[in-house]
Every structure is written in structure tokens, then in C-alpha cells.
Amino acid sequence: IGISGSGPLVMNETPASTGSVMVFFNGLLQVQGTDYSLGGTGNKTITLKGANTLVSDDEVVVKYIKS
């Protein structure tokens, strides 16, 4: 992803709904509202929350159904 810290991460496409987004942080499914939030135009912006800060070895995988 090429960023460090807590984001934000921006998806290329608009998700069909906020419920269609799954975020995995180092292989662990994150909970929307607890571990990350969606916002911005079309809910394309992911902001990590709490202790989730990125370092160079971290992997974030985002899966979603686009609208």
C-alpha cells in the first residue's frame, strides 16, 4: 500500500454498501466500526482505528463488492 501509520487507505472503486467491505490486517478479519471506519466520497476511504498502525512488514487486504 505504500503508507505507514494509520492511513487512510483509499479503494479504487466504490463499494456496493458498507456491509460489502471486508478488511484483513495481517490475515485477521477486522471489525468495521471497531478496528476501522469507512468514509469519504462513496465510502471509499478506510481509516484504521485503535492499535492498528501500519509498518513496512504489515499486510492489508481489502475485499468488497463494487457498486
Side-chain angles (χ1 to χ4, degrees), residues 7-41:
L9 314 170
V10 180
M11 294 181 276
N12 291 331
E13 303 286 339
T14 300
S17 69
T18 57
S20 72
V21 179
M22 292 187 300
V23 176
F24 298 86
F25 187 74
N26 291 328
L28 299 174
L29 178 61
Q30 302 298 291
V31 177
Q32 186 177 325
T34 301
D35 301 313
Y36 71 95
S37 62
L38 295 175
T41 303

Side-chain angles (χ1 to χ4, degrees), residues 38-63:
L38 295 175
T41 303
N43 285 314
K44 292 175 22 176
T45 303
I46 301 168
T47 303
L48 300 176
K49 296 175 134 187
N52 287 338
T53 57
L54 298 175
V55 296
S56 62
D57 293 340
D58 287 335
E59 177 183 60
V60 177
V61 175
V62 179
K63 296 182 179 189

